[in-house]
Amino acid sequence: MLETVRRAAINLNHWYVVAQSSELTDQPLGVVLWQQPIVLYRDRSHTIQALEDRCPHRQVRLSHGQVQGDQLECIYHGWQFNGAGDCVNVPYLSQKQQLPSCRLRTYPVREQDGFIWLFPGQADQANQVPLLGLPEWDQLNYIASYTTIDTQAHFSFLIENLMDMYHGRLHNDLQAWANPVLKDIETSPTRVDAHYDAESYYKIDKIYSVGQLFIPAMRQLRPTNLDVSYVYPHWRSVLGNDFKIYCLFCPVSETQTKAYLVHFVSLGAFHRLHKLPIRFRRFIKNRLFNAARGLLAGLVKQDILMMEDEQRAFETMPQRKGPEFNQTISKVQQLIHQQSIH
């Protein structure tokens, strides 16, 4: 089954994250989700529209073009398309000629919690499938940081890396936890949850304790819980009461995976914080936004090196399989396989 997992397609009938909201400005943005080129743009009401990134005239990418009111204009010959995918204007069309009847594919898309979520499967199922979401993104008691992952490897390598709590030695001073001991695993057709007893290097309980994020000498190990979840197709982790981490997936192809790693630090231990003015709390949240980006980028760089080694090894000898002692990884592989055949 392992070779099948390494070539598994994604289940298209789920919500995937294709961009952060701030990446989509007044110009169209081209993205790729599982070999599907897609163009995003904001209309006059700032609502996001998502179309296949292809002008039906000469097959060039519409993401090279520009937004004209509510329409997306192809840079090559000026053909314009609306959010429903219809061609609504050809600038050089004569009075005797009719607009072409071609229609571009459109995609359900939502802007929520700082990111753009897209449903690449059957559009009529979109409202029936829950969107994971990041409830901490706008909460005043959480400080957010994020970085982008872009690895030349199948998405299975990334989710296995995230669910594997036994590779902390790779990260040295960047690792937030140590000494994990697996307590139990829960599985369902859509998720795998692994629960650990572990130790955390961080405890955010005083104002100056935030400095632990930047000064290794301030860190010391303390017992805590560590819970990691593969909520297909994304990942979520909770470390004690202070940290939550998400990884939002956008698999590009069988050998490339893009994702967003989002880290939240809780300020919930500061019980008097809620008494401060909302404006001041919002200022603190915004001022500290992305404070841990450097730490996250360091972790990602080290993990990408390992995942791309794994991908190259698989391509060289796909039938080779090493022994696996981590029960969580086996459950993750089963879930990937099950979802890929739906």
Side-chain angles (χ1 to χ4, degrees), residues 40-84:
L40 310 171
Y41 75 95
R42 296 185 186 274
D43 60 23
R44 283 180 293 189
S45 65
H46 299 287
T47 301
I48 298 176
Q49 307 293 342
L51 311 173
E52 60 177 300
D53 195 2
R54 177 189 64 86
C55 179
H57 177 216
R58 294 291 182 85
Q59 316 305 315
V60 301
R61 281 180 284 177
L62 289 170
S63 54
H64 291 318
Q66 58 186 345
V67 180
Q68 298 286 3
D70 288 332
Q71 279 75 52
L72 182 58
E73 182 179 274
C74 179
I75 196 172
Y76 203 3
H77 292 90
W79 290 29
Q80 293 183 353
F81 300 86
N82 63 18

Side-chain angles (χ1 to χ4, degrees), residues 179-228:
N179 305 320
V181 178
L182 180 65
K183 292 194 300 182
D184 62 87
I185 304 173
E186 300 174 78
T187 63
S188 79
T190 58
R191 63 188 295 162
V192 174
D193 298 276
H195 307 288
Y196 292 83
D197 287 325
E199 294 179 294
S200 172
Y201 286 103
Y202 304 93
K203 185 174 179 61
I204 309 300
D205 57 351
K206 300 178 178 62
I207 293 295
Y208 65 81
S209 63
V210 178
Q212 297 169 67
L213 298 173
F214 319 103
I215 306 172
M218 294 181 64
R219 304 169 192 165
Q220 55 180 315
L221 286 172
R222 304 172 178 86
T224 192
N225 61 288
L226 174 59
D227 303 304
V228 291

Side-chain angles (χ1 to χ4, degrees), residues 161-178:
N161 171 276
L162 292 165
M163 292 293 287
D164 175 14
M165 297 295 100
Y166 298 124
H167 74 278
R169 66 187 68 247
L170 172 67
H171 300 305
N172 297 320
D173 289 340
L174 298 177
Q175 187 64 39
W177 42 261

